[in-house]
Amino acid sequence: MVKNEKDKDTGEKILVAARKIFLVKGMSGARMQDIADAAGINKALLHYYFRNKDQLFEVIFLEEAKKFFPKINMILESDLPLFEKIEKFAAEYIDEIQQNPYLPMFMLNQVNQDTDKFLGKIMGRKNQPETWSFLLQIEKEVKKGTIKPIHPVQLLLNLLSMCVFPFMAKPMILRKIRLDEQQFSQLMEQRKKEIPQFIINSIKK
């Protein structure tokens, strides 16, 4: 095996190990030593490939963003009826965060630190969610009188926040409501139906 192939294999091994560690311990709880141990390499070699934990997580995030946001954009820009679009959006969004629960917090931290850098250099134009066609569709439905008057951005914010908030508040929810991981996961599965029903019932005539 040539050196480049070895580098690629080791790099992929590190990413697989890092995903597991981030999933179990979260961004703040994960340590580079944990990732090195999970990958079966020493810490010095890990730092050869990735300078620090933030850089490693950024690479993982970008990989997921390249798969996730095109799916979301395909839903938002499709010709589906509004209610069906809301249902598909909630299901896809929650599925993704179930698999990568620390992505919302990472995005929030990065945006707050440097919005331009995050949207430009990190996300890139093609990986950013596109919402204009969805907002326009809401506006048209309001004008046609098929749904109750609502500002399109308010509806989008309702949909996003209801999908994302439980994952960002997960530690508090688990502790205060006394749920275990399996119960939380089941609750999120239910939300894939509960959220669209709640939003649709609030706007339909």
Side-chain angles (χ1 to χ4, degrees), residues 62-203:
L62 281 178
E63 284 191 355
E64 293 303 319
K66 289 176 182 178
K67 294 184 291 184
F68 174 54
F69 287 110
K71 292 180 184 177
I72 289 297
N73 289 339
M74 190 177 298
I75 294 172
L76 295 180
E77 296 176 347
S78 70
D79 295 327
L80 291 172
L82 179 61
F83 291 172
E84 187 175 347
K85 192 174 289 189
I86 290 171
E87 291 169 349
K88 285 185 176 295
F89 179 95
E92 186 67 45
Y93 213 99
I94 290 174
D95 274 344
E96 175 65 23
I97 306 178
Q98 282 270 62
Q99 296 174 33
N100 301 281
Y102 298 100
L103 292 184
M105 187 61 73
F106 174 77
M107 289 180 64
L108 182 63
N109 289 338
Q110 293 295 317
V111 168
N112 285 335
Q113 289 176 22
D114 192 333
T115 304
D116 291 335
K117 178 184 177 182
F118 177 74
L119 293 178
K121 295 181 180 179
I122 297 179
M123 285 287 287
R125 180 66 181 85
K126 65 180 180 179
N127 293 323
Q128 295 181 30
E130 300 293 343
T131 60
W132 285 110
S133 60
F134 181 61
L135 297 176
L136 184 60
Q137 183 178 15
I138 297 169
E139 188 176 324
K140 288 179 178 178
E141 295 298 328
V142 170
K143 288 181 179 179
K144 287 192 297 184
T146 54
I147 63 174
K148 296 176 183 177
I150 184 172
H151 194 293
V153 175
Q154 292 287 3
L155 196 155
L156 177 61
L157 290 176
N158 289 343
L159 182 56
L160 282 171
S161 59
M162 291 179 74
C163 289
V164 174
F165 177 78
F167 294 95
M168 301 188 72
K170 182 180 176 181
M172 179 181 68
I173 292 173
L174 292 180
R175 182 173 179 178
K176 293 299 182 181
I177 307 181
R178 297 180 180 178
L179 299 176
D180 58 29
E181 289 287 344
Q182 184 176 359
Q183 290 172 322
F184 181 84
S185 180
Q186 292 172 346
L187 197 65
M188 295 306 101
E189 282 297 311
Q190 293 171 0
R191 284 186 70 77
K192 290 195 289 188
K193 294 183 178 179
E194 294 287 342
I195 292 172
Q197 287 177 359
F198 182 88
I199 291 178
I200 291 170
N201 288 337
S202 72
I203 61 175

